[in-house]
Amino acid sequence: MKKVSIIMPIYNVAEQLEKAIQCALNQTYKNCEIILVDDGSTDASGEICDRYQSKNPTIIVIHQKNAGSGFARNAGLDRATGEYIYFADPDDYFEANLIEETIAKAIESNADVVVCGYYDEKVDKEGHVTTIEKKPDLNELLTKEDFRNRFRKHYNLSPYALWNKLYKHDFLKQHNCRFTNQKVGQDALFNQQVGMNVQFIYYHQKAYYHYVFREGSAVNRYRKERFFYEYTIASHFEDWMVHWGKEKEYRDLVNQQYWGALYLEL
């Protein structure tokens, strides 16, 4: 039975953290290790991690000085012993059958990455929730060539999100897929590394993860470095398309990346 490492970077999310940890513990697939990386939290998050670890032998807790979610995920990768890697965020939640059903697809297809759907949940300041289910356009295994030729279908569904993907650990190690210290968008740079080298990718048309966007959250705040971060992502995306020899075919997507950086800055 293949092992899955569920990696969760944690920073000052005490209010939502227990729900996220419980989602990992409630997985119907039982050969999981849960790696909680406390990235220098100043609230009760670290204590919550330790409390859960004391009661659950499948939980590993890492405490480190604040270095950002990217380096926290790297710390999790360094400790991970699973054949597959799943990244969850501590302020979201996910269905109990996520790991069981996605790893079944991964093993059956021998895919480097399995992409599934998710629920986009928006919470306004009054606490009202709006939910939209989002699923891949594709429902099949793609080879490297198919993936490159049908890349637009992949691009249509949060290509930079981590939480709607299951990764083969050996693939990540082989291609040195790691996170940078970029404060915003390190998930994008990571998935660009993955996408550039993927050999087999499986699309599963079922939603499991609940991505919760709260008004006033960190991703919705202005950062003076934001343009540099987004420009770096756009530049790496262009390099990716050039590496594939697809820069002309996907020129509109490259332009969209650069325009997105400018739009966010404005």
Side-chain angles (χ1 to χ4, degrees):
M1 194 178 192
K2 303 289 187 183
K3 182 191 283 189
V4 179
S5 299
I6 301 174
I7 298 173
M8 193 179 297
I10 294 159
Y11 180 72
N12 289 355
V13 285
E15 189 175 334
Q16 295 91 25
L17 180 55
E18 294 196 54
K19 183 175 183 179
I21 294 174
Q22 203 59 55
C23 285
L25 288 170
N26 290 344
Q27 289 301 298
T28 55
Y29 189 82
K30 294 307 178 186
N31 194 17
C32 295
E33 62 178 7
I34 302 164
I35 304 175
L36 308 176
V37 186
D38 170 29
D39 188 39
S41 296
T42 57
D43 66 357
S45 296
E47 289 83 353
I48 292 170
C49 292
D50 290 338
R51 174 159 50 83
Y52 271 89
Q53 182 187 39
S54 68
K55 300 176 182 177
N56 299 277
T58 60
I59 292 180
I60 299 166
V61 175
I62 300 169
H63 295 285
Q64 65 179 35
K65 291 183 179 179
N66 181 252
S69 60
F71 280 6
R73 292 187 182 103
N74 283 344
L77 283 171
D78 290 339
R79 286 288 296 274
T81 60
E83 287 94 342
Y84 291 88
I85 302 291
Y86 180 71
F87 296 104
D89 284 345
D91 49 357
D92 299 324
Y93 64 103
F94 46 102
E95 302 296 322
N97 57 347
L98 186 157
I99 298 298
E100 181 178 9
E101 296 190 5
T102 55
I103 196 172
K105 298 297 183 184
I107 294 170
E108 170 192 323
S109 64
N110 195 31
D112 302 314
V113 184
V114 175
V115 180
C116 58
Y118 64 94
Y119 298 96
D120 199 350
E121 295 191 5
K122 295 184 179 178
V123 184
D124 65 21
K125 292 178 181 177
E126 285 73 42
H128 301 130
V129 180
T130 304
T131 303
I132 301 173
E133 184 179 5
K134 296 187 175 182
K135 294 187 290 188
D137 294 333
L138 299 161
N139 190 33
E140 59 190 299
L141 177 70
L142 296 188
T143 64
K144 176 176 70 175
E145 292 76 16
D146 291 334
F147 176 62
R148 295 180 180 191
N149 291 331
R150 302 172 72 183
F151 180 72
R152 288 181 191 278
K153 295 284 188 182
H154 175 81
Y155 189 83
N156 285 341
L157 185 76
S158 301
Y160 295 156
L162 297 166
W163 27 256
N164 71 328
K165 300 173 180 69
L166 182 73
Y167 303 88
K168 184 186 286 185
H169 197 179
D170 280 346
F171 170 83
L172 298 181
K173 289 188 284 191
Q174 179 185 351
H175 297 285
N176 195 32
C177 296
R178 305 280 290 179
F179 293 88
T180 72
N181 64 346
Q182 183 163 302
K183 296 294 184 185
V184 175
Q186 76 284 124
D187 48 354
L189 297 175
F190 177 85
N191 274 311
Q192 287 175 347
Q193 282 184 283
V194 170
M196 187 179 293
N197 296 292
V198 75
Q199 299 295 309
F200 295 97
I201 184 166
Y202 189 94
Y203 295 89
H204 180 41
Q205 283 187 330
K206 190 170 178 180
Y208 301 97
Y209 194 85
H210 296 256
Y211 171 65
V212 184
F213 178 83
R214 297 172 179 84
E215 283 191 7
S217 67
V219 293
N220 204 30
R221 285 193 206 113
Y222 176 73
R223 293 173 180 264
K224 63 181 180 180
E225 313 94 343
R226 186 68 181 256
F227 176 73
F228 171 75
Y229 294 152
E230 296 294 341
Y231 185 87
T232 300
I233 293 168
S235 177
H236 282 224
F237 181 81
E238 183 172 27
D239 291 343
W240 176 9
M241 295 300 105
V242 169
H243 176 76
W244 275 3
K246 296 281 190 179
E247 67 273 22
K248 291 183 179 178
E249 183 176 348
Y250 297 129
R251 171 51 57 184
D252 60 318
L253 300 184
V254 173
N255 291 342
Q256 184 178 319
Q257 293 274 310
Y258 283 113
W259 167 244
L262 179 60
Y263 176 81
L264 283 169
E265 177 70 6
L266 291 172

